[in-house]
């Protein structure tokens, strides 16, 4: 474990490791910093290739203290698959293979591991679904009491999944940021530890492993563009940090992918701020989209998302609901892969970027599918059959 300190992402103010942290004194996310010179000595291409293919193999660049076993449900390296119908250079990293069926497992495995290490006995978060389910699962594995407050339109499967792990689950009558206010109030009263997106520093460290994995899987050559369904933006911010760390340890060069933050037209605060040239994003009122994971009216890491998008020459793009649903249908029928709606948004976002000339058809692009499509309600397209009268030739 090579953590040297933590640092405010806005002001650079330093914080000591080895103690419980939430936000910085400026109310912004904290970033974990490592002794990258030391990491360089052991984190070589050859050594990394020999390690067991789980998120924990990146130990030099993870905050896991020495001698501490991770709270793990078995987090595999996720596959990168070509979407043949869109072109052999269009790749999908399928995060639906992780425990609880979404990439929220990466961040929460790391956050809950650290919470357990610090002796925290009660954790809470607001959720649109997948994060709450993952928090509840890792909380159960760690023996930590878990409180999950779901936004009004959280998919029912997720609400029930979180409750199945024994968490105290509430469905509120508001959006995720409004649920977050209640969680923050409870944390301030000492009732629980706040595990909201970017409000504790370790979830980001678990999530950034996506960046490490894709670099190694693509032969240490980063793709030309990455398309990411953006809610709180943890993955985008985490990958951007991961690429810098990989460069500092000598595993990749200075080239970076163009990062595309994809949002739904019904909830696009980052797109609006990107287009207006703003550093921070204002709250999006009346947020609505089927892609629950990206229904986030306000993101505390807004400026970090916008930085990663702008620094690499990418863009923030909004896609319509009809384009999201169409993309899910197309990829299921043409490629046999059931994307989650957020994954559909990403495919729609890539199509939009093609139209706008922001990517070329022959560029190598990596699209993220962040959850298993089976976690979402699907259209009922089957016909009913009375077996007594059924004849094969009528089918
Ligand atoms: C949470 C979630 C997202 C958004 O991820 P962030 O890193 O918070 O922006 C996208 N897709 C799915 C399926 C999610 O569960």
């Amino acid at each position: 474990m090579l953590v040297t300190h933590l640092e405010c992402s806005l002001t650079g103010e330093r914080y000591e490791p080895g103690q419980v942290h939430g936000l910085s004194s400026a109310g912004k996310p904290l970033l974990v910093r490592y002794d990258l010179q030391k990491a360089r000595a052991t984190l070589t291409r050859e050594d990394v290739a020999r390690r067991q293919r789980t998120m924990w193999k990146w130990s030099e660049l993870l905050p896991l203290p020495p001698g501490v076993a991770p709270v793990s449900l078995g987090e595999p390296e996720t596959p990168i698959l070509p979407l043949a119908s869109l072109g052999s250079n269009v790749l999908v990293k399928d995060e639906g293979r992780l425990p609880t069926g979404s990439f929220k497992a990466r961040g929460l495995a790391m956050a809950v591991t650290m919470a357990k290490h610090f002796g925290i006995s009660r954790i809470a978060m607001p959720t649109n679904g997948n994060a709450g389910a993952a928090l509840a699962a890792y909380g159960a594995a760690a023996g930590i009491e878990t409180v999950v407050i779901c936004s009004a339109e959280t998919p029912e499967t997720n609400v029930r999944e979180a409750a199945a792990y024994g968490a105290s689950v509430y469905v509120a009558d508001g959006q995720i940021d409004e649920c977050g206010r209640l969680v923050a109030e409870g944390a301030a009263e000492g009732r629980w530890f706040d595990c909201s997106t970017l409000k504790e520093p370790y979830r980001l460290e678990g999530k950034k492993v996506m960046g490490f994995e894709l670099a190694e899987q693509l032969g240490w050559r980063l793709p030309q563009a990455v398309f990411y369904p953006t809610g709180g933006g943890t993955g985008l911010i985490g990958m951007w940090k991961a690429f810098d760390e990989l460069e500092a340890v000598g595993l990749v060069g200075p080239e970076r992918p163009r990062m595309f933050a994809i949002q739904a037209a019904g909830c696009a605060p980052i797109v609006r701020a990107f287009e207006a040239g703003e550093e921070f994003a204002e709250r999006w009122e009346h947020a609505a989209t089927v892609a629950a994971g990206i229904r986030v009216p306000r993101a505390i890491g807004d400026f970090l998302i916008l930085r990663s998008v702008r620094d690499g020459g990418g863009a923030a793009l909004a896609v319509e609901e009809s384009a999201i649903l169409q993309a899910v249908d197309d990829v299921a029928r043409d490629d046999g892969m059931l994307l989650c709606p957020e994954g559909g948004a990403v495919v729609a976002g890539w199509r939009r970027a093609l139209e706008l000339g922001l990517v070329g058809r022959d560029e190598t692009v990596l699209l993220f599918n962040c959850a298993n499509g089976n976690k979402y309600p699907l259209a009922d397209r089957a016909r009913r059959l009375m077996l007594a009268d059924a004849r094969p030739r009528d089918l």
Side-chain angles (χ1 to χ4, degrees), residues 359-380:
V359 288
R361 200 160 262 291
D362 53 356
E363 282 192 293
T364 301
V365 299
L366 190 73
L367 315 184
F368 271 86
N369 181 51
C370 298
N372 189 319
N374 287 311
K375 293 189 84 176
Y376 297 78
L378 300 173
D380 179 6

Side-chain angles (χ1 to χ4, degrees), residues 68-254:
V68 172
V71 178
S72 174
L73 296 168
E75 298 73 25
E77 178 182 285
T78 59
I80 293 180
L81 307 161
L83 271 189
S85 70
L86 304 182
S88 59
N89 52 313
V90 179
L91 308 172
V92 172
K93 189 157 173 64
D94 188 10
E95 297 281 298
R97 321 284 178 109
L98 285 155
T100 71
S102 91
F103 70 166
K104 293 295 193 303
R106 293 181 182 276
L108 291 164
M110 193 70 248
V112 172
T113 293
M114 296 304 286
K116 184 179 177 194
H117 168 64
F118 287 124
I120 290 167
S121 59
R122 203 153 184 245
I123 51 182
M125 72 155 49
T127 187
N128 279 330
N130 288 326
L135 186 75
Y138 285 96
I144 299 179
E145 216 186 310
T146 304
V147 180
V148 173
I149 304 184
C150 304
S151 65
E153 285 171 72
T154 300
E156 192 58 31
T157 319
N158 289 314
V159 175
R160 293 183 187 206
E161 185 186 353
Y165 298 124
S168 300
V169 178
Y170 301 88
V171 179
D173 58 352
Q175 296 279 356
I176 188 169
D177 59 331
E178 298 168 310
C179 301
R181 211 175 307 138
L182 186 62
V183 171
E185 238 173 76
E189 287 174 14
R191 293 183 184 278
W192 50 61
F193 181 69
D194 189 342
C195 286
S196 302
T197 303
L198 294 170
K199 288 190 180 172
E200 64 74 55
Y202 302 111
R203 192 164 151 192
L204 181 69
E205 297 304 289
K207 204 82 168 274
K208 80 179 178 188
V209 170
M210 294 190 296
F212 296 158
E213 280 184 15
L214 73 87
E216 187 190 13
Q217 287 173 293
L218 299 178
W220 301 109
R221 283 188 44 178
L222 300 178
Q224 287 164 291
V226 169
F227 286 76
Y228 186 82
T230 306
T234 329
L236 209 57
I237 299 165
M239 283 190 277
W240 204 244
K241 183 173 188 281
F243 298 151
D244 284 348
E245 290 171 353
L246 288 179
E247 185 183 355
V249 300
L251 287 174
V252 300

